[in-house]
Amino acid sequence: MADEHSLEKKFESVLFLPEGENRQGEGGLRTKGLLKKTYENKPLISVITVVYNGERHLEETIQSVINQTYDNVEYIIIDGGSTDGTLDIIKKYEDKIDYWVSEKDNGIYDAMNKGICLSFGEWINFMNVGDKFYDKNTLKSTFQKNIIYQADFIYSDTIFSNGKTFVCDIKKSRIIHQSLFYKKYLHKEFGLYVVAKGVTISDYLFFMLSKNKKWVKVNNPIAIFDLGGISSNLNHFKQKIAVDLMFNNCSRLRASLLLLIHPYYNRIKRFFQ
């Protein structure tokens, strides 16, 4: 896994995780000897859900994954040791989940890294609790034969849970990870997500590191995004500006202006709600 100071450059895919702190259980099809793989013109897609005490919204997220009409999906759930009814919901769908594990972790990026190491798919998507695929045909519509061989990232605009649309654009650093799929091999090149106290934009940093790879935007929506998950604290905002300065030649004047408007950020955010 990534340590607190650097990106881990090497990792191996694993069938099961070594037992971590306060493990509450693991299960799924993989524990019964069933392992999926990529076929010609039908890549295996690994969908990973990270959750902690998510009983309120987890079931709709699970159903949006297991009801996809695309028939080569590997579904992995990483639970951070929930104390509510989350595990009961996971076990309810255990015969549809390839692998799940419940144990304490070091935050969302540590949990995401666990999912990456457990995945055997050619493509990865993170569909976290509360979010869901746009409809049951999303994967089938997205993974057309001509796209599979043209892209490292496949992404689309995001539908917010209030029905408004967020226009995603890699050139403007406007990306929401629920609305994209990317090749797993990129983690071998750029490492896993940074796990460090106070770091809230490791996925954004990963996208910027990969900015010169092949990004293909599709017309069909991929995800419905739960607005409750949007970060708006000052530390998160400053980190995004720092990455803009590094990768997008963001001027110091622009960075200063962005910080000046931050007190009004919550008012601006309400426009989208």
Side-chain angles (χ1 to χ4, degrees):
M1 299 300 169
D3 62 26
E4 292 190 350
H5 306 290
S6 66
L7 287 168
E8 185 71 49
K9 288 300 182 183
K10 296 180 180 180
F11 69 93
E12 295 181 359
S13 294
V14 295
L15 283 171
F16 312 107
L17 291 177
E19 186 164 344
E21 186 177 353
N22 299 325
R23 176 165 292 186
Q24 300 188 70
E26 67 176 348
L29 299 174
R30 189 178 296 181
T31 62
K32 299 176 182 178
L34 300 175
L35 185 65
K36 296 174 181 175
K37 64 179 182 179
T38 285
Y39 296 93
E40 186 176 359
N41 298 327
K42 187 174 288 186
L44 178 62
I45 302 167
S46 295
V47 179
I48 301 166
T49 293
V50 170
V51 60
Y52 176 71
N53 285 348
E55 66 175 343
R56 184 177 177 185
H57 299 294
L58 178 59
E59 191 159 21
E60 61 181 340
T61 300
I62 290 175
Q63 289 179 351
S64 84
V65 178
I66 66 176
N67 290 329
Q68 288 296 302
T69 55
Y70 185 88
D71 62 358
N72 199 19
V73 181
E74 174 185 65
Y75 191 28
I76 297 168
I77 298 181
I78 308 296
D79 175 62
S82 292
T83 57
D84 62 359
T86 293
L87 286 186
D88 293 331
I89 296 171
I90 292 173
K91 290 175 181 178
K92 177 180 175 180
Y93 294 95
E94 191 167 25
D95 63 335
K96 304 292 185 182
I97 298 168
D98 290 271
Y99 182 75
W100 67 268
V101 64
S102 177
E103 63 187 24
K104 185 177 179 181
D105 55 48
N106 292 317
I108 188 169
Y109 294 115
D110 181 37
M112 290 169 72
N113 286 344
K114 289 179 180 181
I116 292 164
C117 291
L118 285 162
S119 66
F120 282 82
E122 183 178 345
W123 293 86
I124 290 176
N125 167 270
F126 282 96
M127 193 58 61
N128 292 338
V129 65
D131 306 319
K132 54 189 176 182
F133 285 118
Y134 182 71
D135 61 31
K136 67 180 182 180
N137 295 311
T138 297
L139 296 183
K140 192 171 184 180
S141 299
T142 302
F143 281 85
Q144 302 296 325
K145 186 176 178 180
N146 61 327
I147 286 184
I148 295 173
Y149 304 104
Q150 295 175 1
D152 295 305
F153 289 84
I154 301 173
Y155 72 105
S156 75
D157 295 335
T158 303
I159 308 300
F160 283 164
S161 53
N162 65 357
K164 294 185 181 293
T165 300
F166 179 86
V167 179
C168 292
D169 186 345
I170 181 59
K171 293 180 180 179
K172 297 180 180 179
S173 305
R174 294 165 56 91
I175 295 293
I176 294 177
H177 70 233
Q178 283 83 344
S179 284
L180 67 82
F181 302 88
Y182 64 89
K183 291 283 187 69
K184 181 182 176 180
Y185 89 88
L186 292 166
H187 283 294
K188 292 188 179 291
E189 184 171 347
F190 298 114
L192 295 171
Y193 293 117
V194 175
V195 179
K197 185 177 181 180
V199 175
T200 64
I201 58 164
S202 291
D203 49 346
Y204 184 69
L205 174 60
F206 175 75
F207 299 151
M208 291 302 99
L209 287 168
S210 308
K211 193 173 181 180
N212 293 325
K213 295 296 182 179
K214 295 179 288 186
W215 291 73
V216 174
K217 188 174 185 178
V218 294
N219 293 324
N220 57 285
I222 290 174
I224 299 175
F225 180 71
D226 179 13
L227 278 166
I230 292 180
S231 298
S232 60
N233 62 74
L234 181 59
N235 185 49
H236 177 89
F237 204 66
K238 284 181 175 178
Q239 288 177 32
K240 290 196 74 171
I241 291 172
V243 173
D244 273 344
L245 283 166
M246 290 168 60
F247 292 98
N248 298 324
N249 297 316
C250 170
S251 70
R252 293 187 179 277
L253 174 61
R254 177 173 179 268
S256 298
L257 289 172
L258 285 170
L259 287 171
L260 281 173
I261 70 167
H262 185 271
Y264 304 98
Y265 182 74
N266 285 327
R267 298 182 192 179
I268 296 170
K269 177 183 168 183
R270 281 198 289 273
F271 171 78
F272 295 100
Q273 297 180 340

